[in-house]
Amino acid sequence: MYHSSSDYQNVDKMALRLRIDYGHFEKCLDVFKLAKQLNVNIIKYSSLTSEQLKTISGKEELNDGFTIIRKQKRQQYKFYIFYNDSIGPARIRFTIAHEIKHVAFLEENQTEKDEDLANHFARYILAPTCLVMPYVGRFSVAELVSDFDISYEAASNAYNAAENRILSSKSELTDYENEFIANL
């Protein structure tokens, strides 16, 4: 699926905007705290029966997580993130970050494009390129796994994104990255 560079820039900007606005300057983002700050109700699959999950999700087979956004009175919303708590902690963090993208962009009925961009958002909010760039050529992907508490796959993707950005001579930070770095 094709995404324009502005699609990615908007997602990256929102990821850092959330980190800045809610005071998350640490390498290892507490996605549960951020979700709570966004007034999201987080519900583990294990706290519900399989019938409840089927009714809520509308699906027989569930993946790592999903979001429900309910419009209330006067343009107010209620947010719910349901997640599979039987997967590993790094995958859970990625899933919550992915679902936060749907909340931040008020995506009630997610498209394939929304899902693809949510994966990018999760990678970026968990390991912002501006924080990963100093690792390139100096540290291994394993260091990213440890420092950012992300999976090896997410760390590889973050490392490759930072390396590609440096190699393409686009290593100058954006305004929103500079604002984020200035708060560290």
Side-chain angles (χ1 to χ4, degrees):
M1 169 157 290
Y2 172 77
H3 304 296
S4 70
S5 61
S6 68
D7 289 335
Y8 290 111
Q9 288 170 351
N10 287 338
V11 166
D12 294 351
K13 189 174 187 175
M14 175 63 84
L16 286 187
R17 183 85 264 139
L18 290 173
R19 275 179 161 260
I20 292 165
D21 289 351
Y22 292 96
H24 291 278
F25 301 102
E26 65 282 359
K27 282 184 183 173
C28 182
L29 174 66
D30 184 340
V31 292
F32 287 94
K33 182 177 178 183
L34 177 59
K36 187 175 182 176
Q37 289 170 309
L38 293 168
N39 295 315
V40 175
N41 298 292
I42 299 180
I43 301 151
K44 301 177 191 180
Y45 285 1
S46 67
S47 70
L48 302 169
T49 67
S50 57
E51 275 307 307
Q52 286 173 318
L53 276 171
K54 273 190 242 174
T55 302
I56 292 165
S57 71
K59 299 176 185 174
E60 287 291 321
E61 188 138 337
L62 295 168
N63 50 12
D64 293 348
F66 63 95
T67 299
I68 294 179
I69 299 173
R70 295 280 185 246
K71 191 180 264 187
Q72 305 294 303
K73 299 174 191 168
R74 297 180 302 278
Q75 297 298 331
Q76 302 244 352
Y77 293 89
K78 281 204 158 229
F79 306 106
Y80 303 88
I81 292 176
F82 296 83
Y83 74 96
N84 183 348
D85 51 321
S86 68
I87 56 179
R91 186 70 195 170
I92 289 171
R93 291 182 69 250
F94 186 89
T95 298
I96 300 300
H98 171 108
E99 299 304 327
I100 286 172
K101 188 266 188 186
H102 297 314
V103 169
F105 286 88
L106 289 176
E107 296 168 349
E108 295 179 64
N109 300 302
Q110 297 97 25
T111 65
E112 187 178 335
K113 180 180 178 178
D114 295 333
E115 290 299 319
D116 288 345
L117 289 171
N119 285 332
H120 175 82
F121 176 90
R123 195 269 311 148
Y124 191 88
I125 199 168
L126 291 172
T129 303
C130 58
L131 292 183
V132 175
M133 286 168 55
Y135 284 74
V136 174
R138 296 178 60 216
F139 299 99
S140 69
V141 171
E143 297 289 331
L144 288 177
V145 170
S146 174
D147 290 356
F148 292 87
D149 193 21
I150 54 178
S151 69
Y152 191 85
E153 180 182 2
S156 293
N157 289 337
Y159 191 93
N160 290 337
E163 185 175 51
N164 289 338
R165 187 159 159 197
I166 291 167
L167 293 174
S168 70
S169 300
K170 294 181 181 169
S171 55
E172 191 171 309
L173 299 181
T174 64
D175 291 344
Y176 54 89
E177 288 173 324
N178 279 319
E179 181 182 355
F180 178 72
I181 295 292
N183 283 288
L184 295 179

